[in-house]
Amino acid sequence: MSTQASDLSHDKEKGIVVDETTLPIEAAPEEAIVRRYGRFGPFLAKLFASGVEARGVERVPEDQRETKNMWNNLLMWWSVNTVLTTIPIGTLGQAFYTLTLPHAIATILCFGALGGVATAFISTLGPKTGLRTMIITRFSSGYIGGTIYSILNILTQLGFSVTAVILGGQTLASINPGTLPLVVGIIIIGILSVIPCFVGYHLVHYYERYAWIVIFIIIMFLWGLGGHAGFDINAQKPLEDTGRALSADILSFGGIVFGSFTGWAPVAADYNCRLPANTSSMKVFLLTFFGLWIPICFVEILGAALMTISDPAYTQAYADGSTGGLVAQVLAPWGGGGKFLLVLLGLSVVANNIPNSYSAGLSMQSLGRPFALIPRFAWTFLAFVIYTVAGVAGREHFSEILSNFLSILSYWTAFFIVIVAEEHFIFRRKGGPLGGYNLDDWDKPSRLPIGFAGILAGCFGVAGAVVGMSEVWYTGPLGQKAGAEFGADLGFELAAAFAGVVYPPLRWLEIRLTGR
């Protein structure tokens, strides 16, 4: 190898440069990997050669794109959300907000559609740019702003993972009470989740392509058994609020539903960035939207419907074992067969937790160049350790964690989506101030926006969330005025509005002053 080639450099866009030829990191020869990773090189070279994904947050250039996995824009999200984890979101409409079933269904459908549109838009940017979602934010909020979003997304994905492993563990533990400790169930779910993520992109897509089939059938069984037990659409009528209090309940529950959709927005481009750049954006949008909206609404409405069963045994099952206990009670008439289905449902959360684990690792790499030098699978393993330990620690407080987490989640994802959308449609459009994306600049801070417009707009978004939010521990002044006794949660609406209003003029000023 020549002296020039021996001075190995890592091309942040395409892979590893060897003898002046840029290779994808997966195809780089062993000596190149050894030069990049030093003493760990031989081990990593063998690991990558065995099929473990080597690519991290590096851009996927056009000549390395793949036409396969197009339908996974639908099937992946269908698998990710046709899971046990989605059911408890629907139960919150009655458990926390005393909504009747018709009002809960209307809220899920409407706020779900809004969240689905927002997330599907982010998904269209994957093929266009060949970049992971958190790297895309650098084109609107700069290198520092992208790092801030990466931190928020790490917390988001870890939060999703905590709720997933707790619910999966609860379900496995409830099959034969006293035989499998909840802690062991949580660890089992965590281990099963991390295996496909460790291997990487292709195994994730392969698993998620088929995982929905069996669980969708089980969800249909739950609908049938629940209907046999007796859904009562008026079950919550005596408890439901009226007037402003009812509006507040709908807005607050709607924020949770919106968050259950937009929680996937910060990772939506991670799973289609290898599709060709000329892939139809409309097709990606529609597949992603329906891959989210249909299964999430279908399963969340099931959760809401199960809460209307008036049999005291079902009420007590929910009180004793939360959603896992309720589902176990629904399947109880089938005896051993019901327990087997409960095992499969408990394991279904693996499909939901895989993108959390995989994208948490990518977001850790997105924190900056030093972090990107550490292989993606190492960060994925660290994420597994963190959320498993947190799940064990918070295993007795699932409902509280879920309701508060999803509400807060909807706040930051709302202004993140608005800022990225305004950058794309106003400033990066053809004929716009910037006329498109210079994708070669994705890891060049001196060529990216400084980021003060995106960061300040994000700060305004936080301010909007603070004045509009309504949580158990705090209610903002506008949130208080919008509701009755406990206020209404307007956090995500005001976060999006505040950021959306201030970002265009700030970004215009930034471009005028800096040219980027």
Side-chain angles (χ1 to χ4, degrees), residues 480-498:
Q480 185 64 59
K481 291 181 180 297
E485 181 180 357
F486 300 105
D489 194 343
L490 297 173
F492 91 80
E493 293 95 336
L494 292 181
F498 279 33

Side-chain angles (χ1 to χ4, degrees), residues 374-415:
I374 299 174
R376 175 204 56 80
F377 69 82
W379 291 119
T380 297
F381 183 78
L382 177 62
F384 153 72
V385 172
I386 293 172
Y387 67 67
T388 302
V389 171
V392 170
R395 62 190 182 277
E396 303 299 336
H397 307 284
F398 173 75
S399 293
E400 293 85 352
I401 293 173
L402 181 67
S403 60
N404 286 299
F405 166 68
L406 285 176
S407 296
I408 296 173
L409 166 65
S410 69
Y411 304 154
W412 88 264
T413 55
F415 66 73

